């Protein structure tokens, strides 16, 4: 599998006080593919994801060592402006977190903050990204209703539209379908597969069936170590490390 690297993680270690969550992780993440990070609970998957958009900065007692390069920039360089890095990343959390405002204003929030477009352009931006998230037809007649009235599945797609509206390069998904029903999960998976033609997508999941459905590239973390990574089809069919094999067959979970 030939690919161009978008994110290069080099010797990344993360500790929460005395507890080491990640141990010398080195991984190149391909551009415009879906990279799925798998592994048991507590193995460092979410920590790795949070390290990519500097969300660990706000956690007391965290020590981050190593380098992460995005577009050739070391995002942990002291001279880097954190907002500039975070603008490149759209984040989907486990539980959708809509803002306490209307559907329209949720999507318009980022563009207003960064660019202050005029009213007509803002309406175009909102419609465009609600369409990309597969939500426009469901909400076009109720844009000024509170976003909290949407179903959980619709709220997750609204969060996707809100994240895309600031024109990121990378979509991060932290168990993005874990709170959703099967139909809503399918909708989110379908959108992520469509979006990989324009974005680098990184998804953390504990659902192996989902990883098989959406992953182009796979990384397996176990007890803070990156055990194995490679093209998803290869890792699923021919895991090289016995720990990967044991996880994929359900011997360890």
């Amino acid at each position: 599998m030939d690919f161009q690297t978008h994110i290069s993680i080099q010797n990344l270690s993360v500790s929460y006080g005395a507890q080491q969550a990640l141990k010398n992780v080195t991984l190149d993440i391909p551009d415009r593919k879906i990279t799925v990070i798998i592994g048991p609970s507590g193995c460092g998957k979410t920590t790795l994801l949070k390290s990519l958009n500097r969300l660990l900065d706000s956690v007391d007692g965290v020590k981050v060592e190593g380098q992460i390069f995005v577009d050739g920039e070391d995002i942990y360089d002291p001279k880097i402006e954190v907002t500039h890095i975070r603008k490149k990343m759209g984040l989907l959390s486990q539980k959708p977190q809509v803002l306490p405002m209307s559907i329209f204003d949720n999507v318009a929030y980022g563009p207003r903050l960064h660019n202050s477009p005029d009213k007509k352009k803002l309406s175009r931006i909102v419609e465009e990204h609600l369409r990309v998230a597969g939500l426009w037809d469901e909400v076009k007649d109720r844009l000024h209703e509170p976003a909290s009235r949407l179903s959980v599945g619709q709220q997750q797609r609204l969060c996707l539209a809100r994240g895309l509206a600031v024109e990121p390069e990378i979509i991060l998904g932290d168990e993005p379908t874990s709170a959703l029903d099967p139909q809503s999960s399918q909708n989110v998976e379908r959108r992520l597969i469509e979006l990989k033609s324009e974005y680098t997508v990184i998804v953390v999941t504990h659902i192996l069936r989902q990883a098989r459905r959406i992953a182009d590239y796979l990384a397996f973390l176990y007890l803070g170590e990156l055990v194995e990574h490679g093209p998803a089809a290869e890792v699923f069919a021919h895991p090289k490390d016995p720990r990967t094999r044991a996880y994929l067959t359900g011997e360890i979970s």
Side-chain angles (χ1 to χ4, degrees):
M1 176 181 173
D2 294 325
F3 63 78
Q4 184 175 348
T5 298
H6 192 171
I7 301 170
S8 185
I9 302 166
Q10 297 181 9
N11 301 310
L12 179 70
S13 294
V14 178
S15 300
Y16 298 92
Q19 181 189 359
Q20 192 164 10
L22 292 176
K23 305 168 186 174
N24 292 315
V25 171
T26 293
L27 175 65
D28 285 342
I29 293 176
D31 187 27
R32 302 193 183 200
K33 305 284 184 192
I34 299 179
T35 296
V36 174
I37 303 168
I38 61 170
S41 295
C43 67
K45 302 188 300 294
T46 295
T47 295
L48 180 57
L49 204 69
K50 286 182 175 178
S51 71
L52 297 175
N53 64 352
R54 300 273 307 256
L55 277 182
L56 296 176
D57 291 16
S58 57
V59 182
D60 289 337
V62 171
K63 183 181 181 183
V64 179
E65 297 175 291
Q67 296 173 299
I68 299 177
F69 294 92
V70 177
D71 299 320
E73 284 184 303
D74 180 1
I75 67 170
Y76 281 92
D77 185 317
K79 297 190 290 290
I80 286 286
E81 212 279 300
V82 177
T83 308
H84 157 71
I85 294 302
R86 288 184 181 151
K87 190 175 181 294
K88 293 187 176 192
M89 317 268 180
L91 178 65
L92 279 179
S93 303
Q94 292 185 32
K95 186 179 178 187
Q97 298 175 334
V98 297
L99 301 173
M101 51 185 71
S102 71
I103 295 166
F104 182 96
D105 287 337
N106 262 267
V107 184
Y109 182 82
R112 279 180 176 140
L113 202 62
H114 294 291
N115 306 316
S116 302
D118 63 50
K119 195 172 180 181
K120 193 172 179 180
K121 186 176 181 184
L122 196 61
S123 293
R124 279 202 309 274
I125 289 170
V126 170
E127 178 176 347
E128 176 190 345
H129 291 95
L130 284 171
R131 285 188 183 279
V132 170
L135 195 57
W136 174 253
D137 289 339
E138 297 168 43
V139 302
K140 62 185 178 185
D141 297 323
R142 45 191 293 215
L143 292 174
H144 299 291
E145 289 184 13
S148 56
R149 292 187 189 171
L150 295 173
S151 71
V152 176
Q154 288 173 324
Q155 286 183 26
Q156 189 65 302
R157 281 182 287 149
L158 179 64
C159 289
L160 179 59
R162 187 180 72 212
L164 295 176
V166 297
E167 299 181 344
E169 298 176 11
I170 298 155
I171 300 169
L172 307 175
D174 185 9
E175 306 268 12
T177 64
S178 63
L180 307 184
D181 62 81
Q183 184 62 53
S184 297
S185 296
Q186 280 184 1
N187 285 336
V188 171
E189 285 181 16
R190 194 179 306 122
R191 294 300 156 194
L192 293 176
I193 290 168
E194 290 169 357
L195 288 167
K196 73 180 181 183
S197 63
E198 296 181 44
Y199 301 88
T200 295
V201 182
I202 306 167
V203 174
V204 162
T205 185
H206 66 279
I207 306 168
L208 285 176
R209 294 186 307 280
Q210 181 174 72
R212 289 180 188 275
R213 286 193 296 267
I214 69 172
D216 299 303
Y217 201 80
L218 197 69
F220 171 55
L221 287 176
Y222 188 65
L223 300 178
E225 292 181 33
L226 178 62
V227 172
E228 189 166 347
H229 61 95
E234 285 181 24
V235 177
F236 277 123
H238 306 290
K240 295 184 176 76
D241 191 287
R243 290 168 293 178
T244 312
R245 195 175 303 114
Y247 182 71
L248 294 178
T249 56
E251 291 172 49
I252 57 175
S253 59

